Amino acid sequence: MLLAIIVIAVSVFLWIRRRRREAAPSAARLAAAGWLPPERQNTERSFANPEADAIEAALARGDWQPAAQALDATGTDWERRSALVGIIAHAAAKDDAWLRAWEAARPDDPGAAVVKAEAKVIVAWDIRGTAWAQDTTAEQFAGFHRMLREAREDFDRAAALAAPDDPTPYASRIPLEKGTGASHETMRELWAEITARAPYLFDAHASALLYWYPRWRGSEELVREFAWGAARTAPPGNLMTMLPLMHWHDHLDEDAPDVAFRSVDLTAMVDAALIDVAACRPDHPRLAGARHLLAYILTKQERYAEAVDQFRRVDGYVAAEPWTHYPTKQAEAFCLYRDAAIIGSGALRTGR
């Protein structure tokens, strides 16, 4: 993992150096144009999210009620509900005292139930770690599978408590099935439950994409069938066109020569994603993540003006792919690519 990060970091440095044919813009000029320096980039969020900030602050004080109220208020906005459950579950994975208080006060709350189940899966993956199987200890595997067994029971309960049309307990279950090596038949049965309730839930698709990767339970043929199938059939605005781009980035980006970024296939994928992003509702919780990845790829394609447009919409927040590949240098990586796009576009010269 460390070697891969070093290789990526070196490639970023060399790529930027080759393309800086003119002097880098000064901090003063960038600031005057409204661009933020690395030290002012938020490394915890991919976009400004005051609701999540308030919920996390309350949970840190042991107050679960803002989280419960936010989930109650989501109604049938499954994208928002899925994103909020993830935020709250990550907090519970660190300290669940407030979650136990929530369950005691509202024992049949579907929000608390799905948060508890998802938090256990997060804890399970934290126990296992990110190393390859041969580098993972027997104790780690034992803890991993113990937590997943507990989570399975919690997900069954969450699904029973949820509204009949709520896909969240089913979508949140995908990492559990991936971790236990569920069969294709099991995954397809789960997928039918999800898509019957929400055909284009982005979090579910992004999670299932990983299941179909060759290193988990799928193959190149199956992952392409899944990603491109969703991208072709979904109406614009659902961000399904990001799935082929995510697959390309995960599998081909690191070793791809510069010319690969200007291929006809990748250009077509990016063009489709730009249309999707333009049609997406402004408050979609995964829109910013799409903009971050597009900004990066557009810069690599030397489509600088288009990249600058995406960078401008997310500047100040860097907790997204691909910047999270640089755990201690997220802001610096973001600003390197952003500044390269600004230079290439001539935005500072023209005052845009």
Side-chain angles (χ1 to χ4, degrees):
M1 177 64 72
L2 178 60
L3 179 59
I5 291 172
I6 292 171
V7 169
I8 294 171
V10 170
S11 68
V12 170
F13 170 76
L14 294 176
W15 184 86
I16 295 294
R17 189 177 66 176
R18 287 200 306 270
R19 280 157 179 76
R20 287 193 167 180
R21 299 187 179 97
E22 51 187 286
S26 68
R29 292 180 67 203
L30 287 168
W35 300 102
L36 297 176
E39 61 270 20
R40 291 186 58 192
Q41 301 292 334
N42 185 315
T43 58
E44 301 298 323
R45 302 260 183 252
S46 62
F47 67 102
N49 193 340
E51 179 180 51
D53 292 341
I55 289 171
E56 289 183 341
L59 295 177
R61 299 190 303 269
D63 182 3
W64 54 268
Q65 294 192 46
Q69 291 164 3
L71 287 179
D72 290 345
T74 57
T76 58
D77 186 345
W78 307 128
E79 298 286 357
R80 181 165 171 254
R81 186 173 182 84
S82 178
L84 280 174
V85 166
I87 290 167
I88 300 166
H90 273 88
K94 298 174 184 175
D95 180 1
D96 67 348
W98 52 265
L99 179 56
R100 294 195 300 272
W102 182 357
E103 291 182 300
R106 295 167 58 172
D108 294 324
D109 189 320
V114 73
V115 164
K116 181 179 181 179
E118 184 163 328
K120 285 190 177 178
V121 175
I122 294 168
V123 171
W125 282 100
D126 285 344
I127 292 171
R128 186 202 181 281
T130 58
W132 291 99
Q134 63 266 27
D135 299 319
T136 304
T137 68
E139 291 78 8
Q140 285 175 298
F141 274 123
F144 176 63
H145 289 293
R146 182 182 68 254
M147 291 302 299
L148 291 184
R149 284 193 297 272
E150 292 183 18
R152 187 177 297 280
E153 296 178 4
D154 290 322
F155 275 120
D156 289 343
R157 181 170 181 271
L161 291 173
D165 56 344
D166 184 358
T168 317
Y170 303 94
S172 296
R173 190 176 183 131
I174 294 173
L176 182 153
E177 303 297 358
K178 184 183 76 170
T180 57
S183 68
H184 292 178
E185 180 182 3
T186 297
M187 183 61 182
R188 289 188 173 111
E189 289 174 357
L190 177 60
W191 194 244
E193 296 283 1
I194 296 166
T195 53
R197 294 165 172 83
Y200 306 115
L201 181 61
F202 185 83
D203 280 356
H205 281 79
S207 187
L209 185 71
L210 300 179
Y211 172 89
W212 293 112
Y213 278 176
R215 65 176 176 265
W216 290 107
R217 294 292 294 169
S219 65
E220 279 299 323
E221 180 182 357
L222 288 171
V223 75
R224 287 180 63 86
E225 177 184 316
F226 176 80
W228 270 257
R232 283 194 302 268
T233 58
N238 285 284
L239 302 181
M240 294 296 103
T241 55
M242 292 303 300
L243 299 175
L245 277 182
M246 291 161 64
H247 173 249
W248 194 97
H249 173 62
D250 286 344
H251 286 73
L252 301 174
D253 188 344
E254 184 175 336
D255 300 319
D258 288 348
V259 67
F261 284 88
R262 293 184 288 278
S263 70
V264 172
D265 287 345
L266 183 59
T267 299
M269 283 188 268
V270 170
D271 289 345
L274 287 170
I275 293 171
D276 213 359
V277 162
C280 188
R281 71 187 222 210
D283 64 343
H284 192 298
R286 305 308 177 195
L287 176 58
R291 292 193 187 282
H292 279 282
L293 186 56
L294 278 170
Y296 162 77
I297 295 177
L298 286 164
T299 305
K300 295 280 279 187
Q301 290 185 321
E302 299 184 356
R303 296 167 65 173
Y304 296 125
E306 293 168 284
V308 167
D309 182 53
Q310 300 302 323
F311 276 119
R312 190 173 292 283
R313 295 167 188 265
V314 295
D315 192 39
Y317 301 87
V318 297
E321 293 275 0
W323 326 121
T324 48
H325 284 299
Y326 317 97
T328 62
K329 297 290 184 181
Q330 286 174 233
E332 288 81 356
F334 173 88
C335 289
L336 279 172
Y337 275 91
R338 182 201 66 189
D339 294 354
I342 293 169
I343 294 167
S345 70
L348 290 183
R349 290 196 306 271
T350 60
R352 292 197 301 271

